[in-house]
Amino acid sequence: FYYGALFSHTFDMGDEAFAYALGMRDHSSESNSRVGALTGVSFEREGVYLGIGAKGALSDRWLYLVEGVYLTGSSASDPLLGPQQSETLAAWAGRLQLTCALRDENDSRIQAEVLVASGDPDRRSASDTVGGNAPGTSDAGFSSLGFAFTGVAFAPSLSNLVSLRVGAATFPARSSETFRDLQVGIDLISSFKQRRTGAVDEPTTASRYLGSEVDVYSNWRITSDLALTARYGLFFPGSAIPEPDDPRHFIYLGVTLAF
Protein backbone atom coordinates (compact mmCIF):
# COMPACT_ATOMS: atom_id res chain seq x y z
CA PHE A 1 0.00 0.00 0.00
CA TYR A 2 1.38 3.37 -1.02
CA TYR A 3 0.33 6.83 0.05
CA GLY A 4 1.88 10.20 -0.54
CA ALA A 5 1.64 13.86 -1.39
CA LEU A 6 3.55 16.28 -3.62
CA PHE A 7 3.67 20.02 -3.08
CA SER A 8 5.13 22.44 -5.63
CA HIS A 9 5.42 26.17 -6.15
CA THR A 10 6.24 28.00 -9.38
CA PHE A 11 7.96 31.35 -9.00
CA ASP A 12 7.44 34.41 -11.20
CA MET A 13 10.54 33.61 -13.28
CA GLY A 14 9.29 30.08 -13.99
CA ASP A 15 11.51 28.16 -11.57
CA GLU A 16 9.72 25.44 -9.61
CA ALA A 17 10.43 24.13 -6.11
CA PHE A 18 8.85 20.92 -4.90
CA ALA A 19 8.71 18.62 -1.88
CA TYR A 20 7.07 15.24 -1.43
CA ALA A 21 6.50 12.35 0.93
CA LEU A 22 5.71 8.77 -0.12
CA GLY A 23 4.89 6.01 2.35
CA MET A 24 5.18 2.29 1.59
CA ARG A 25 3.38 -0.28 3.78
CA ASP A 26 4.16 -3.97 3.37
CA HIS A 27 1.15 -6.28 3.84
CA SER A 28 2.62 -9.41 2.20
CA SER A 29 2.34 -12.63 4.23
CA GLU A 30 4.68 -14.68 2.02
CA SER A 31 7.32 -16.49 4.12
CA ASN A 32 8.97 -18.97 1.73
CA SER A 33 12.32 -18.14 0.18
CA ARG A 34 13.54 -19.12 -3.28
CA VAL A 35 16.95 -19.82 -1.73
CA GLY A 36 17.23 -23.44 -0.58
CA ALA A 37 14.45 -24.65 1.71
CA LEU A 38 14.15 -21.54 3.86
CA THR A 39 10.71 -21.09 5.40
CA GLY A 40 9.33 -18.65 7.92
CA VAL A 41 11.28 -15.77 6.44
CA SER A 42 10.07 -12.21 7.03
CA PHE A 43 10.43 -10.07 3.91
CA GLU A 44 8.92 -7.01 5.52
CA ARG A 45 10.24 -3.67 4.32
CA GLU A 46 8.36 -0.48 5.15
CA GLY A 47 9.66 2.93 4.26
CA VAL A 48 8.91 6.61 3.94
CA TYR A 49 10.54 8.65 1.17
CA LEU A 50 11.04 12.35 1.93
CA GLY A 51 12.18 14.42 -1.03
CA ILE A 52 12.91 18.00 -1.98
CA GLY A 53 14.08 19.59 -5.20
CA ALA A 54 13.94 22.39 -7.74
CA LYS A 55 14.10 22.90 -11.49
CA GLY A 56 14.26 25.88 -13.76
CA ALA A 57 16.59 28.13 -15.74
CA LEU A 58 19.88 29.70 -14.74
CA SER A 59 19.92 31.79 -17.93
CA ASP A 60 18.40 31.73 -21.41
CA ARG A 61 20.70 28.79 -22.24
CA TRP A 62 21.20 26.87 -19.01
CA LEU A 63 18.56 24.71 -17.34
CA TYR A 64 18.95 22.85 -14.06
CA LEU A 65 17.29 20.14 -11.99
CA VAL A 66 18.34 19.17 -8.46
CA GLU A 67 16.67 16.63 -6.19
CA GLY A 68 17.44 14.85 -2.93
CA VAL A 69 15.51 12.11 -1.14
CA TYR A 70 15.89 10.43 2.24
CA LEU A 71 14.50 6.95 2.96
CA THR A 72 13.59 6.01 6.52
CA GLY A 73 11.62 3.11 7.98
CA SER A 74 12.45 -0.52 8.75
CA SER A 75 13.46 -3.72 6.95
CA ALA A 76 13.97 -7.36 7.94
CA SER A 77 17.56 -8.58 8.26
CA ASP A 78 19.18 -11.44 6.34
CA PRO A 79 17.87 -14.82 7.67
CA LEU A 80 21.11 -16.55 6.62
CA LEU A 81 23.12 -14.57 9.18
CA GLY A 82 21.14 -15.45 12.28
CA PRO A 83 17.71 -14.78 13.81
CA GLN A 84 15.96 -12.05 11.86
CA GLN A 85 15.57 -8.60 13.32
CA SER A 86 13.73 -5.48 12.24
CA GLU A 87 16.43 -2.95 11.38
CA THR A 88 16.25 0.79 10.76
CA LEU A 89 16.26 2.04 7.18
CA ALA A 90 18.54 5.06 6.71
CA ALA A 91 19.25 5.54 3.00
CA TRP A 92 19.45 8.47 0.59
CA ALA A 93 19.80 9.45 -3.05
CA GLY A 94 20.26 12.61 -5.08
CA ARG A 95 20.77 13.94 -8.57
CA LEU A 96 21.99 17.09 -10.27
CA GLN A 97 21.28 17.74 -13.93
CA LEU A 98 22.48 20.64 -16.09
CA THR A 99 21.32 21.24 -19.66
CA CYS A 100 22.80 23.71 -22.11
CA ALA A 101 20.44 24.65 -24.96
CA LEU A 102 22.60 25.86 -27.85
CA ARG A 103 19.71 27.87 -29.33
CA ASP A 104 20.61 26.88 -32.88
CA GLU A 105 18.25 26.00 -35.73
CA ASN A 106 18.63 22.29 -34.93
CA ASP A 107 17.51 22.63 -31.29
CA SER A 108 20.79 21.10 -30.12
CA ARG A 109 21.49 20.54 -26.44
CA ILE A 110 24.26 19.24 -24.19
CA GLN A 111 23.45 17.67 -20.84
CA ALA A 112 25.41 16.47 -17.81
CA GLU A 113 23.99 14.53 -14.87
CA VAL A 114 25.23 13.06 -11.60
CA LEU A 115 23.18 10.37 -9.83
CA VAL A 116 24.14 9.09 -6.37
CA ALA A 117 22.34 6.46 -4.27
CA SER A 118 23.57 5.08 -0.96
CA GLY A 119 24.56 1.46 -0.47
CA ASP A 120 24.92 -0.80 2.55
CA PRO A 121 28.44 -2.23 3.09
CA ASP A 122 27.29 -5.63 4.41
CA ARG A 123 24.65 -6.35 1.76
CA ARG A 124 25.31 -9.14 -0.76
CA SER A 125 22.13 -8.29 -2.67
CA ALA A 126 21.01 -4.76 -3.49
CA SER A 127 17.30 -5.56 -3.20
CA ASP A 128 16.67 -8.98 -1.58
CA THR A 129 16.07 -9.85 2.07
CA VAL A 130 18.03 -13.11 1.70
CA GLY A 131 21.56 -11.85 1.18
CA GLY A 132 20.50 -8.49 2.49
CA ASN A 133 21.24 -6.40 5.56
CA ALA A 134 23.18 -8.00 8.44
CA PRO A 135 21.38 -8.32 11.81
CA GLY A 136 22.23 -5.63 14.33
CA THR A 137 23.06 -2.95 11.74
CA SER A 138 21.01 -0.21 10.12
CA ASP A 139 20.16 -0.68 6.45
CA ALA A 140 21.68 2.04 4.25
CA GLY A 141 20.73 0.41 0.94
CA PHE A 142 18.55 2.76 -1.13
CA SER A 143 15.73 1.25 -3.19
CA SER A 144 14.11 3.46 -5.80
CA LEU A 145 10.42 3.58 -6.63
CA GLY A 146 10.98 6.02 -9.49
CA PHE A 147 13.00 6.11 -12.70
CA ALA A 148 16.47 7.43 -13.35
CA PHE A 149 18.35 6.86 -16.61
CA THR A 150 21.45 4.72 -15.93
CA GLY A 151 22.03 3.39 -19.45
CA VAL A 152 20.40 0.75 -21.65
CA ALA A 153 23.05 -2.00 -21.73
CA PHE A 154 24.17 -2.12 -18.06
CA ALA A 155 21.19 -0.24 -16.55
CA PRO A 156 21.88 -0.79 -12.83
CA SER A 157 19.15 -0.03 -10.33
CA LEU A 158 19.48 3.13 -8.25
CA SER A 159 21.15 1.49 -5.25
CA ASN A 160 24.80 1.73 -4.12
CA LEU A 161 25.49 3.68 -7.29
CA VAL A 162 27.32 6.75 -8.54
CA SER A 163 26.48 7.44 -12.19
CA LEU A 164 28.14 10.19 -14.25
CA ARG A 165 26.55 10.99 -17.61
CA VAL A 166 27.34 13.44 -20.41
CA GLY A 167 25.14 13.56 -23.48
CA ALA A 168 24.21 15.56 -26.56
CA ALA A 169 21.21 15.58 -28.89
CA THR A 170 20.15 17.46 -32.01
CA PHE A 171 17.64 17.52 -34.88
CA PRO A 172 20.06 17.34 -37.83
CA ALA A 173 17.58 17.90 -40.68
CA ARG A 174 15.22 20.66 -39.61
CA SER A 175 15.10 21.99 -43.19
CA SER A 176 13.81 18.67 -44.54
CA GLU A 177 10.06 18.12 -44.58
CA THR A 178 10.50 14.34 -44.20
CA PHE A 179 13.19 14.28 -41.52
CA ARG A 180 12.33 17.51 -39.72
CA ASP A 181 11.34 15.69 -36.53
CA LEU A 182 14.24 13.21 -36.50
CA GLN A 183 16.35 13.56 -33.34
CA VAL A 184 19.68 11.80 -32.80
CA GLY A 185 21.76 11.71 -29.64
CA ILE A 186 24.57 10.12 -27.69
CA ASP A 187 25.20 9.50 -23.98
CA LEU A 188 28.49 8.59 -22.27
CA ILE A 189 28.04 7.02 -18.82
CA SER A 190 30.51 5.88 -16.15
CA SER A 191 29.22 3.88 -13.16
CA PHE A 192 30.77 3.34 -9.74
CA LYS A 193 29.72 1.76 -6.45
CA GLN A 194 28.94 4.22 -3.68
CA ARG A 195 30.19 1.71 -1.07
CA ARG A 196 33.10 -0.44 -2.15
CA THR A 197 31.88 -3.60 -0.38
CA GLY A 198 28.17 -2.98 -0.98
CA ALA A 199 26.01 -4.85 -3.48
CA VAL A 200 24.62 -3.94 -6.89
CA ASP A 201 22.38 -5.96 -9.20
CA GLU A 202 25.04 -8.60 -9.93
CA PRO A 203 28.08 -10.12 -8.19
CA THR A 204 31.07 -7.76 -8.00
CA THR A 205 34.52 -7.53 -6.48
CA ALA A 206 35.55 -4.99 -3.82
CA SER A 207 36.50 -2.47 -6.53
CA ARG A 208 34.34 0.63 -7.03
CA TYR A 209 34.54 0.95 -10.83
CA LEU A 210 31.59 -0.83 -12.49
CA GLY A 211 32.29 0.24 -16.05
CA SER A 212 31.47 2.71 -18.82
CA GLU A 213 28.84 2.77 -21.52
CA VAL A 214 28.17 4.46 -24.84
CA ASP A 215 24.53 4.86 -25.88
CA VAL A 216 23.31 6.20 -29.22
CA TYR A 217 19.68 6.80 -30.02
CA SER A 218 17.23 8.29 -32.48
CA ASN A 219 13.62 9.41 -32.16
CA TRP A 220 11.73 10.03 -35.39
CA ARG A 221 8.21 11.40 -35.42
CA ILE A 222 7.21 10.46 -38.96
CA THR A 223 3.64 11.77 -38.78
CA SER A 224 1.47 13.26 -36.05
CA ASP A 225 0.51 9.75 -34.88
CA LEU A 226 3.45 7.54 -35.92
CA ALA A 227 6.89 7.53 -34.27
CA LEU A 228 10.00 5.31 -34.42
CA THR A 229 12.53 4.86 -31.64
CA ALA A 230 15.93 3.14 -31.81
CA ARG A 231 18.49 2.61 -29.02
CA TYR A 232 21.90 0.95 -29.02
CA GLY A 233 24.07 0.57 -25.93
CA LEU A 234 27.61 -0.78 -25.56
CA PHE A 235 28.84 -1.40 -22.02
CA PHE A 236 32.49 -2.04 -21.12
CA PRO A 237 32.73 -3.73 -17.67
CA GLY A 238 35.11 -2.22 -15.14
CA SER A 239 37.36 -3.71 -12.48
CA ALA A 240 34.38 -4.47 -10.18
CA ILE A 241 32.86 -6.92 -12.71
CA PRO A 242 34.45 -10.39 -12.44
CA GLU A 243 35.24 -12.46 -15.52
CA PRO A 244 33.82 -13.10 -18.02
CA ASP A 245 33.84 -9.36 -18.52
CA ASP A 246 33.15 -9.14 -22.24
CA PRO A 247 31.47 -6.00 -23.62
CA ARG A 248 27.67 -6.07 -23.47
CA HIS A 249 25.36 -4.97 -26.27
CA PHE A 250 21.75 -3.88 -26.12
CA ILE A 251 19.48 -3.01 -29.04
CA TYR A 252 15.97 -1.63 -28.74
CA LEU A 253 13.57 -0.79 -31.58
CA GLY A 254 10.07 0.58 -31.03
CA VAL A 255 7.11 1.81 -33.04
CA THR A 256 4.41 3.99 -31.47
CA LEU A 257 1.05 4.50 -33.13
CA ALA A 258 -1.25 6.96 -31.41
CA PHE A 259 -4.94 7.07 -32.25
Side-chain angles (χ1 to χ4, degrees):
F1 179 71
Y2 298 91
Y3 56 92
L6 169 68
F7 303 93
S8 66
H9 177 75
T10 302
F11 297 92
D12 293 339
M13 298 297 292
D15 292 54
E16 180 184 353
F18 58 87
Y20 58 86
L22 177 65
M24 175 181 64
R25 298 287 296 177
D26 188 350
H27 295 285
S28 174
S29 59
E30 179 62 53
S31 62
N32 296 324
S33 172
R34 294 170 296 176
V35 179
L38 285 175
T39 59
V41 177
S42 172
F43 298 100
E44 185 175 3
R45 183 179 177 89
E46 298 187 340
V48 176
Y49 296 79
L50 303 172
I52 189 171
K55 59 183 178 181
L58 298 173
S59 69
D60 62 342
R61 290 180 178 269
W62 288 93
L63 307 175
Y64 73 92
L65 185 153
V66 59
E67 181 180 1
V69 58
Y70 181 74
L71 171 60
T72 184
S74 62
S75 67
S77 65
D78 186 353
L80 297 178
L81 300 179
Q84 282 190 286
Q85 302 178 29
S86 179
E87 307 295 354
T88 301
L89 270 173
W92 54 269
R95 66 171 172 167
L96 173 63
Q97 184 183 99
L98 293 175
T99 302
C100 178
L102 301 185
R103 304 295 185 186
D104 61 350
E105 62 181 11
N106 296 324
D107 294 330
S108 304
R109 63 173 176 82
I110 299 173
Q111 190 172 78
E113 184 176 48
V114 179
L115 293 168
V116 184
S118 65
D120 191 274
D122 50 40
R123 273 186 166 273
R124 292 167 292 156
S125 169
S127 58
D128 294 349
T129 298
V130 180
N133 186 52
T137 65
S138 61
D139 189 354
F142 187 80
S143 55
S144 175
L145 294 178
F147 172 79
F149 182 67
T150 57
V152 297
F154 184 44
S157 61
L158 198 58
S159 181
N160 194 34
L161 181 70
V162 177
S163 176
L164 309 176
R165 179 177 66 87
V166 176
T170 189
F171 291 85
R174 279 302 203 190
S175 60
S176 168
E177 182 176 350
T178 302
F179 298 103
R180 173 179 176 80
D181 292 322
L182 171 65
Q183 182 190 44
V184 295
I186 184 172
D187 285 306
L188 307 176
I189 304 172
S190 291
S191 301
F192 305 82
K193 289 193 289 184
Q194 192 269 329
R195 298 297 293 265
R196 185 185 301 274
T197 58
V200 293
D201 292 338
E202 60 183 86
T204 58
T205 68
S207 174
R208 287 187 186 272
Y209 180 48
L210 293 168
S212 295
E213 179 169 335
V214 180
D215 294 336
V216 293
Y217 61 89
S218 66
N219 302 306
W220 184 19
R221 187 176 181 182
I222 302 174
T223 67
S224 61
D225 53 7
L226 180 63
L228 299 180
T229 300
R231 301 280 190 274
Y232 171 68
L234 177 60
F235 174 69
F236 300 94
S239 55
I241 306 295
E243 294 184 355
D245 55 356
D246 299 327
R248 305 177 189 180
H249 304 264
F250 183 92
I251 297 175
Y252 170 82
L253 300 173
V255 179
T256 301
L257 178 63
F259 55 88

